Every structure is written in C-alpha cells, then in structure tokens.
C-alpha cells in the first residue's frame, strides 16, 4: 500500500487530498485540500464557517509533532447571559445566537503558512470544482437534511435556496451545486491571509451586526490561529501527541490514558475494561470540577487523517459544533453555513474566563518499534473514549490497527454513565450504543517500522479512502 493516503468521511474529499499528493504535495497540502473539499461535500458536519478545530502534524519521522490550534474564541464580555432568549434545538442554542467566530479559514491559512509546499490556489481546486459543478447527495447528507426539516422555521431562505429544490430540502441522489461557496473559496485561495479583512467576512460581520449579536462588527478583533508544539506524553513502549489539554478532548483522553497506564505499573498495556471506565470517569469528574457549565452530549464533527511518501502524518478534527449544519444560518451571497460554537462555551475556573471547551482529540502515536499512527474520530463526548480505545487496542501486544478499529467500543458519558456497543458484552448497567451514535467515521493511518503503510476504515459509517 502506498504511504500517501487520505481517509475521511467522504470519498470525493479523499480523492481531492490524494490528487494533491500525486502532484507532489506533502501531508499538510493534502490535508488542506481534504478539509476544503469536506466543507463542500460534508457541510452538515463541518464547513468553511465552522467554529474550528485542531490539526496535529508531524512532517517527517523524528520531527517534533506540532499542533495548528484553530479553536474559536469567545468574544470579549461574553457570558451565559448572551444566550438569554435564544432559540433552541433540543438542549442546544440555535440560530444567530449560537454563532461563534469561524476559525476554519484561519486554521487552514495558518497550516498553509507554516507547513505547505504548494500554492493555496492549487490546493483549493478540487473543492472549488465540487462546489461549482456539484455532486450527488449521499445517504449521510440525506439523513442530515431530513433532520434539518424540523429546524426549517429557524433557518432563513438562503439555506433553503442552496439545499432545497421545489420548496423542499434536497433528497439522496439530487445534485447539489453551491456556486456562492465556490466563489468564496476562490477568494480565499487567492488571498488566504486576507480572509478576515475581505468581502466575504465583511458580509458575515455585517449580517451578524444587523442581528445585534454581541461582539460582531466589520472591525472586530480577530484572535489568530497559532502553531505550537503538541502536548506529548511517553507511555510504556509508545508516545502520544495532541492538542491543548485545557480546551480539547485531549484533556480527557490524556489524563485517562495516564491513569490507565499507571494501573499496569509500567508494564505493557493490555485491555482491562474496568480500569478503562474508571480512568475516563475520573477525567470527566476533573473537567466538571473545573468548569461551571454542564457538559452536554455534543454530536456532529468531521475527522480525517493524511500521510505522505516522506513519512508526514496529519490528524485533523474540525466542526460546526453540536448540531448538523451548525447554527442553520447561511449568510446570503457567501454560501457559508455558520457554526453553532457558542454551545461549547464553558467558564474555566483555572483560567477565570469563558473558553470554547470541546471534545476534539486528533492524535499522533509513535511506538518504540518505529510504528507511527495518526488517529481520531467524530462522536461528541464519546471522542476521547473512541480514540483512547483505538490506541490501546493498537499498541497492546499483538495489536493491529485495522482490527483495533473494528473492536467493540466502550465509552463513558460526561456524567459517568457507561456506554457500550452490544458486541462489547458489558456485564453491568450501561447504555447501548448503535452506529448512528458515533455521528460519522473514525479514521486512522499507520506508517509501520517495517515499511508497511496501513489504513483503518471505520465500517460503522460511510467513509472515503484514497491513495496517491
């Protein structure tokens, strides 16, 4: 198998990333191309107006893993009172009140500036073509659009004009053309560093200002994305790297992993269900003790992994927030569906301010035998558990990445409840999980010490995979 691979939630996005690898691009070039294509073909789970995420990068074996942090920021003066009177979809804030600063353009521009080898215009070609020429709606997008029908009263005409035909939202097999989004991507590709001072962002800010949303104006301060060394931890026989412990799901994943490993007193990890559950329960308790807002079971997110022939690895997760299609607001004339990121706001007691605290856990793993993995998942509050179990099942003696992806999942909710797939045969009280409750496919790539390249595709959900 070629070392140049892309695995994500949609085959067309995987093909866009693989085309960049074939043309000599590195793993980050392909990651940017994949992310932009996902903004077009998987608009329910993530998009150009998404609140943000993290890209964990290792450009070559032995190099320091780095993180592009493009998590959103809460505006100055923001507080829970800003959501008073907001419309809701279930427990989540809906509509304009739910929109946080969209950081996906900032993150992709920052990744390009720091790591890319090709012009942004070349990386955006696939996404622009998909938006301009259209593609056929698949079963996943059809399901999200059916769910959106319950929200039609709270979305504007602009959304229905793009995602509807003949007075109804589109169906599976219909063609979806997004001409305004294509032009937005053309503008971004021409000047990625200037997006927040350009016409598209001015249109977004004007729209939000007209709705009298706190902190929004054409000259609002924009906190940039940034690149930092990944948070690393060395375990028994492997090391792991990921994003901010303060704001991401890695802040659940890593404390749980450390506690789990300590139960084996420095020996090699093996699967031990009770220790796994106890470690996750402790991690969630710590987060609850240090934040003042309750943790909801957030949902819809997109994750992908990329590798290149030079040994570069990327694990990236980004999102609209906890609702399909985010806020449900499509800013007229831009094609951009806006996020619902204010639902992620939590007051951090250690920091003394509001943060966008999320569950995103894109990680890189390196074993002492030279095997290197990129892995991550969607799944809301289940993400840390999904990735933790995938890591454990991959690095245990005799573990193998593809079979690890297929093994039954066990999770722990933020409230401490055990959740498990039926095949896990969990002996005690628990909530049974079906495939639809992971909200999309996990993904993983392994570049093995013996020279093999392997991919783990999640059979629970439709996925996309392509090789260079």
């Amino acid at each position: 198998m070629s070392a140049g691979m892309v695995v994500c939630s949609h085959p067309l996005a995987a093909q866009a990333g693989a085309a960049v690898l074939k043309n000599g691009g590195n793993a980050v070039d392909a990651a940017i191309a994949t992310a932009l294509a996902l903004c077009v073909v998987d608009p329910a789970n993530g998009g150009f107006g998404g609140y943000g995420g993290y890209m964990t990068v290792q450009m070559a074996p032995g190099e320091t893993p780095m993180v592009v942090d493009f998590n959103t920021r809460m505006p100055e003066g923001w507080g829970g009172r800003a959501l008073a009177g907001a419309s809701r979809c279930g427990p989540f804030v809906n509509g304009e009140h739910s929109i946080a600063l969209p950081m996906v353009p900032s993150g992709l521009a920052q990744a390009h500036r720091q790591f890319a080898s090709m012009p942004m215009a070349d990386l955006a070609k696939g996404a622009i073509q998909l938006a301009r020429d259209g593609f056929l709606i698949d079963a996943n997008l059809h399901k999200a659009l059916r769910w959106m029908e319950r929200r039609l009263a709270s979305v504007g005409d602009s959304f229905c004009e793009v995602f509807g035909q003949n007075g109804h939202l589109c169906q599976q097999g219909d063609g979806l053309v997004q001409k305004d989004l294509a032009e937005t991507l053309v503008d971004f590709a021409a000047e990625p560093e200037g997006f927040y001072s350009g016409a598209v962002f001015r249109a977004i800010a004007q729209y939000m200002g007209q709705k009298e949303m706190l902190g929004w104006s054409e000259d609002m301060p924009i906190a940039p994305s940034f690149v930092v060394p990944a948070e690393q931890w060395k375990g028994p026989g492997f090391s792991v790297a990921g994003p901010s412990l303060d704001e991401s799901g890695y802040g659940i994943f890593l404390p749980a992993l450390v506690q789990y490993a300590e139960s084996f007193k420095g020996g090699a990890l093996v699967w031990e269900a009770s220790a796994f559950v106890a470690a996750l329960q402790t991690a969630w308790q710590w987060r609850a003790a240090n934040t003042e807002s309750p943790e909801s079971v957030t949902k819809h997110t997109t994750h992908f992994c990329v590798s290149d022939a030079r040994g570069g690895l990327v694990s990236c997760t980004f999102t609209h927030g906890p609702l399909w299609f985010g806020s449900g607001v499509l800013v007229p004339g831009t094609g951009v569906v806006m996020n619902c990121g204010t639902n992620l706001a939590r007051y951090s007691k250690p920091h003394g301010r509001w943060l966008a605290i999320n569950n995103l856990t894109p990680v890189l793993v390196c074993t002492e035998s030279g095997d290197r993995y990129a892995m991550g998942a969607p799944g809301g509050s289940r993400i840390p558990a999904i990735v933790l179990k995938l890591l454990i099942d991959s690095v245990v003696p005799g573990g193998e990445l593809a079979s690890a992806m297929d093994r039954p999942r066990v999770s722990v909710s933020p409230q401490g409840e055990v959740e498990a797939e039926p095949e896990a045969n969990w002996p005690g009280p628990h909530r049974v999980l079906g495939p639809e409750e992971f909200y999309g496919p996990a993904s993983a790539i392994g570049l093995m010490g013996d020279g093999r390249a392997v991919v783990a595709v999640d059979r629970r959900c439709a996925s996309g995979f392509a090789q260079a």
Side-chain angles (χ1 to χ4, degrees):
M1 186 175 285
S2 166
M5 300 183 287
V6 181
V7 58
C8 65
S9 63
H10 199 291
L12 293 175
Q15 291 164 21
V20 166
L21 292 173
K22 289 176 183 176
N23 288 330
N26 63 35
V28 174
D29 290 318
I32 294 168
T34 302
L36 289 171
L38 285 169
C39 291
V40 178
V41 300
D42 191 13
N45 289 311
F48 203 65
Y51 83 74
Y54 308 94
M55 183 183 292
T56 308
V57 176
Q58 189 178 39
M59 294 301 292
E63 290 196 8
T64 300
M66 306 295 287
V67 171
V68 183
D69 186 323
F70 55 109
N71 192 34
T72 195
R73 319 287 191 265
M74 304 317 297
E76 192 69 29
W78 195 92
R81 64 187 183 282
L83 302 181
S87 68
R88 290 187 176 265
C89 181
F92 302 110
V93 177
N94 191 32
E96 287 86 0
H97 282 88
S98 70
I99 298 174
L101 180 67
M103 291 294 285
V104 169
S106 174
L108 298 182
Q110 182 68 260
H112 185 262
R113 181 187 316 121
Q114 190 82 12
F115 300 110
S117 66
M118 297 174 65
M120 183 67 83
D122 292 340
L123 307 183
K125 281 180 181 177
I128 292 168
Q129 183 175 350
L130 286 166
R132 185 174 286 155
D133 296 346
F135 62 95
L136 298 181
I137 291 175
D138 66 0
N140 287 341
L141 185 50
H142 171 86
K143 182 178 180 180
L145 287 167
R146 301 287 67 74
W147 181 86
M148 277 297 288
E149 289 171 346
R150 73 181 70 174
R151 298 174 67 193
L152 286 182
S154 63
V155 303
D157 292 341
S158 296
F159 185 93
C160 296
E161 287 168 5
V162 171
F163 293 102
Q165 294 179 4
N166 303 317
H168 302 280
L169 294 183
C170 294
Q171 302 279 333
Q172 184 173 350
D174 289 343
L176 178 60
V177 174
Q178 301 170 80
K179 291 190 180 297
D180 286 342
L181 181 58
E183 295 310 308
T184 289
L185 295 176
V186 168
D187 288 349
F188 175 72
E191 194 176 357
E193 303 292 339
F195 174 78
Y196 293 92
S197 58
V200 173
F201 189 75
R202 282 200 301 274
I204 293 171
Q206 287 171 359
Y207 176 90
M208 293 295 287
Q210 290 166 3
K211 300 292 182 178
E212 299 182 347
M213 294 296 106
L214 177 68
W216 284 88
S217 67
E218 292 184 54
D219 57 354
M220 63 189 290
I222 306 296
S225 300
F226 52 92
V227 178
V228 293
E231 299 277 359
Q232 296 191 69
W233 180 73
K234 187 171 183 350
F238 67 93
S239 61
V240 63
S244 162
L245 292 167
D246 292 331
E247 296 176 283
S248 75
Y250 195 63
I252 299 295
F253 167 96
L254 189 58
L257 174 59
V258 171
Q259 179 175 322
Y260 185 82
E262 286 175 350
S263 67
F264 297 98
K265 303 186 185 305
L269 301 189
V270 296
W271 171 243
E272 212 296 306
S274 60
F276 181 85
V277 165
L280 283 165
Q281 287 173 333
T282 299
W284 282 117
Q285 288 165 5
W286 185 92
R287 174 172 281 187
N290 284 277
T291 57
E292 289 191 356
S293 294
E295 190 79 30
S296 299
V297 180
T298 57
K299 300 180 180 180
H300 306 292
T301 301
T302 193
H303 176 83
F304 64 90
C305 295
V306 181
S307 63
D308 65 32
R310 307 168 187 85
L313 278 174
V314 172
S315 180
C316 181
T317 315
F318 69 103
T319 182
H320 275 314
L323 298 172
W324 268 325
F325 294 102
S327 64
V329 172
L330 192 152
V331 177
T334 69
V336 177
V337 176
M338 300 299 292
N339 65 79
C340 59
T342 63
N343 284 287
L344 281 300
R346 304 286 183 269
Y347 186 79
S348 170
K349 296 176 185 178
H351 292 84
R353 57 191 174 91
W354 289 83
L355 302 176
I357 296 178
N358 58 75
N359 301 306
L360 312 185
T361 313
V363 303
L364 300 178
V365 181
C366 183
T367 72
E368 291 179 351
S369 61
D371 299 339
R372 299 166 54 240
Y373 303 114
M375 55 180 62
S381 57
R382 300 180 184 111
I383 294 173
I386 294 170
V387 181
L388 179 58
K389 191 166 189 299
L390 183 57
L391 181 149
I392 293 168
D393 288 339
S394 298
V395 303
V396 297
E400 197 275 326
L401 185 63
S403 62
M405 183 69 78
D406 292 337
R407 289 180 66 82
R409 289 177 178 166
V410 177
S411 184
V412 172
S413 76
Q415 293 75 32
E417 179 186 17
V418 178
E419 305 172 319
E421 291 185 299
E423 297 81 2
N425 296 316
W426 190 260
H430 67 286
R431 184 174 182 274
V432 177
L433 294 177
E436 70 282 356
E437 295 183 272
F438 298 114
Y439 314 119
S443 59
I445 289 173
L447 300 180
M448 314 309 284
D450 60 11
R452 291 179 299 125
V454 298
V455 63
V457 176
D458 191 350
R459 304 177 199 280
R460 297 168 180 84
C461 307
S463 298
F465 169 65
Q467 294 178 255

